[in-house]
Amino acid sequence: MEKIPFVTLEQLQKIDKTYPTPYHIYDEKGIRENARRLKAAFAWNSGFKEYFAVKATPNPYLMTILREEGCGSDCSSYTELLLAKAVGNVGRDIMFSSNATPAEEFALALKLGAIINLDDITHIDFLAKVAKDCGQPFPETICCRYNPGGYFELGTDIMDNPGDAKYGMTHEQIIKAFKTLQKMGVKHFGIHSFLASNTVTNDYYPELARQLFDLAVELKQKTGAAIEFINLSGGVGVPYRPGQEPNDIAVIGEGVRKQYEKILTPAGMDNIAIFTELGRFMLAPYGHLVTKAIHRKETYKHYIGLDACACNLMRPAMYGAYHHITVMGKDVDGPSTIYDITGSLCENNDKFAIDRELPLIDIGDFLVIHDTGAHGFSMGYNYNGKLRSAELLLQEDGSVKLIRRAETPADYFATFDFEGADIKVEDDL
Ligand SMILES: *Cc1c(COP(=O)(O)O)cnc(C)c1O
């Protein structure tokens, strides 16, 4: 499938008059339509709820759109909990799926009434102590995170390596954890697992569901615990490359339903709610990083230097991840060159694309970097004193709203107090 930006060159030229590049822009219409497709795919399950993984795109305006579409928040840190609360997600609208969790984060989760998902068996005692110290009762509802170990395979394909992942409890531990929690008065249970990331196949969730449903039946038999929900977590991916077949969420929902009816219904467990914690699937395709070509360099290769850098989008530098690039206003079938597309960090991995065939690029051209709506802005950082960009929302009526301003040097200097470091850019030096 060809990748077409959700903004036109004319729109970008117009936006440019108010908001300079680089910036991330998000497509409200696309976000809402996709969230509705997810909801429809799981409509067969009356308790279904998506908890948007806040770490993917921690912007309260986007979280509000998702909340309006029925999504809660999946948090794993103190500030993510505060963001969830800010958009009105409290109590059972928060799933707190953290690991190596500091005490103050559990304390805030308890105060907000979040559903707590325990990553480790030792976290039972840890949480009990936190609850005691902050004067909160131990929760009556608890989720436990499961890690089956080994490799996660679909057919003959190895999808991921849970045995090498720091998350979750072993099979033996989760049974023991349930028994301990029951003795402590926990009445309602959930189980959770995240076994493969960015899966572009309709078979991931159904296979994960099969494993978790089998575990739920076993846990009920061995402990008698009342399992109320099964959390399939994140991991449903998006096609970053053109030509990749996207997931069909309707097929995925149907695949999970088949396993549910095969495993849970015969066991008399057909009142269990299905939860998801999708991040990438919810937002990645509905965000673009918009940047301009500011330099052309010819040495041993052809380079185009952008006004964005890895601080705005880390995935290519960190994982060698492919992000599609559209040179706006240029014909993809016209004259082309093999380019390296770079940012300005003093780091040779600061490249958005290496040896990529693109239409001939002129200085000043707008480049749209696709699929940056999740794990894009949020993974940003300040290396080389680079500042975080603005975030814009393309609203359903076609207007553009600033949903986070760009950082200024004052933001960069805000965490120390040092005489002379309050220089403003406009100062006459
Ligand atoms: C990162 C994460 C998610 C979201 O993952 P995606 O790949 O963006 O869907 C969900 N749950 C947990 C616990 C996570 O750490």
Side-chain angles (χ1 to χ4, degrees):
M1 240 168 56
E2 209 194 322
K3 284 184 137 340
I4 299 165
F6 57 76
V7 280
T8 63
L9 177 59
E10 292 66 36
Q11 280 174 306
L12 294 183
Q13 286 163 339
K14 200 171 155 219
I15 295 167
D16 203 48
K17 297 194 173 107
T18 316
Y19 306 111
T21 53
Y23 54 79
H24 286 267
I25 187 164
Y26 305 92
D27 174 22
E28 177 175 5
K29 187 163 177 281
I31 293 170
R32 287 192 189 275
E33 286 172 358
N34 184 61
R36 286 170 200 173
R37 280 193 294 272
L38 172 70
K39 214 172 157 184
F42 285 91
W44 56 267
N45 184 262
S46 60
F48 175 77
K49 191 170 180 76
E50 150 72 2
Y51 292 84
F52 171 65
V54 175
K55 74 162 190 266
T57 325
N59 185 298
Y61 291 92
L62 301 174
M63 289 165 68
T64 298
I65 291 172
L66 290 170
R67 179 176 158 80
E68 286 166 4
E69 299 299 334
C71 304
S73 298
D74 162 37
C75 304
S76 56
S77 70
Y78 197 89
T79 46
E80 287 179 3
L81 285 168
L82 293 177
L83 270 175
K85 178 171 176 279
V87 304
N89 282 343
V90 293
R92 290 183 66 98
D93 287 344
I94 302 176
M95 183 68 60
F96 188 56
S97 289
S98 61
N99 68 94
T101 313
E104 64 272 21
E105 302 195 357
F106 271 140
L108 182 56
L110 286 169
K111 281 176 199 156
L112 292 174
I115 301 175
I116 292 178
N117 182 16
L118 294 175
D119 180 69
D120 187 41
I121 191 160
T122 64
H123 290 189
I124 299 174
D125 288 344
F126 191 89
L127 181 64
K129 182 171 184 311
V130 173
K132 194 160 165 266
D133 290 349
C134 71
Q136 294 284 325
F138 196 85
E140 287 196 350
T141 301
I142 285 280
C143 184
C144 290
R145 184 167 184 166
Y146 174 55
N147 182 337
Y151 289 96
F152 183 81
E153 292 169 26
L154 284 179
T156 54
D157 290 344
I158 292 179
M159 306 292 292
D160 223 316
N161 186 359
D164 196 37
K166 66 172 176 168
Y167 310 108
M169 307 182 194
T170 67
H171 186 257
E172 200 183 323
Q173 286 171 338
I174 199 166
I175 296 170
K176 205 170 153 209
F178 264 52
K179 290 180 178 164
T180 306
L181 289 162
Q182 280 175 308
K183 283 194 202 116
M184 295 169 72
V186 173
K187 294 192 175 61
H188 317 285
F189 287 85
I191 52 176
H192 167 282
S193 199
F194 190 160
L195 299 183
S197 197
N198 191 32
T199 57
V200 190
T201 157
N202 295 329
D203 298 330
Y204 169 65
Y205 255 9
E207 170 57 20
L208 171 69
R210 186 187 67 75
Q211 295 190 22
L212 285 177
F213 295 169
D214 280 341
L215 177 67
V217 172
E218 185 188 351
L219 282 165
K220 192 178 173 206
Q221 281 166 356
K222 292 195 171 151
T223 71
I227 296 169
E228 293 201 348
F229 60 87
I230 291 174
N231 183 344
L232 301 176
S233 187
V236 176
V238 299
Y240 285 98
R241 290 174 186 271
Q244 258 182 313
E245 186 70 31
N247 287 320
D248 184 336
I249 199 65
V251 173
I252 291 174
E254 192 53 23
V256 174
R257 187 177 68 83
K258 285 209 182 86
Q259 296 297 339
Y260 194 100
E261 288 177 356
K262 203 167 126 194
I263 301 167
L264 294 179
T265 308
M269 297 168 72
D270 56 0
N271 54 351
I272 293 184
I274 300 296
F275 293 165
T276 56
E277 291 175 343
L278 296 168
R280 195 185 314 269
F281 181 79
M282 300 309 289
L283 288 190
Y286 314 108
H288 292 329
L289 173 58
V290 179
T291 164
K292 267 188 198 162
I294 56 172
H295 290 284
R296 180 190 296 108
K297 173 167 178 164
E298 304 288 344
T299 52
Y300 307 104
K301 298 182 92 174
H302 307 293
Y303 293 99
I304 292 292
L306 303 181
D307 59 7
C309 68
C311 294
N312 305 110
L313 177 69
M314 192 192 216
R315 298 185 71 258
M318 186 171 180
Y319 310 119
Y322 181 97
H323 278 265
H324 197 65
I325 296 176
T326 299
V327 185
M328 298 301 285
K330 297 286 168 77
D331 182 359
V332 282
D333 298 320
S336 65
T337 297
I338 308 288
Y339 286 114
D340 277 15
I341 306 293
T342 81
S344 55
L345 294 185
C346 303
E347 266 281 0
N348 197 39
N349 67 0
D350 185 16
K351 291 172 183 162
F352 292 109
I354 297 172
D355 298 332
R356 177 94 49 101
E357 183 173 2
L358 288 167
L360 292 183
I361 298 173
D362 292 303
I363 303 302
D365 278 352
F366 285 99
L367 274 69
V368 161
I369 304 182
H370 291 249
D371 302 310
T372 67
H375 311 294
F377 180 95
S378 64
M379 290 178 83
Y381 55 113
N382 281 127
Y383 194 52
N384 259 179
K386 293 290 180 181
L387 303 173
R388 287 183 178 79
S389 79
E391 293 183 290
L392 306 179
L393 179 67
L394 177 64
Q395 301 182 107
E396 283 183 297
D397 65 3
S399 63
V400 170
K401 178 168 157 180
L402 181 69
I403 57 172
R404 188 195 298 264
R405 67 162 172 81
E407 282 181 347
T408 68
D411 296 310
Y412 186 81
F413 298 142
T415 45
F416 57 70
D417 193 0
F418 188 85
E419 206 178 332
D422 54 354
I423 299 163
K424 302 208 170 39
V425 246
E426 62 272 23
D427 279 358
D428 197 8
L429 297 181

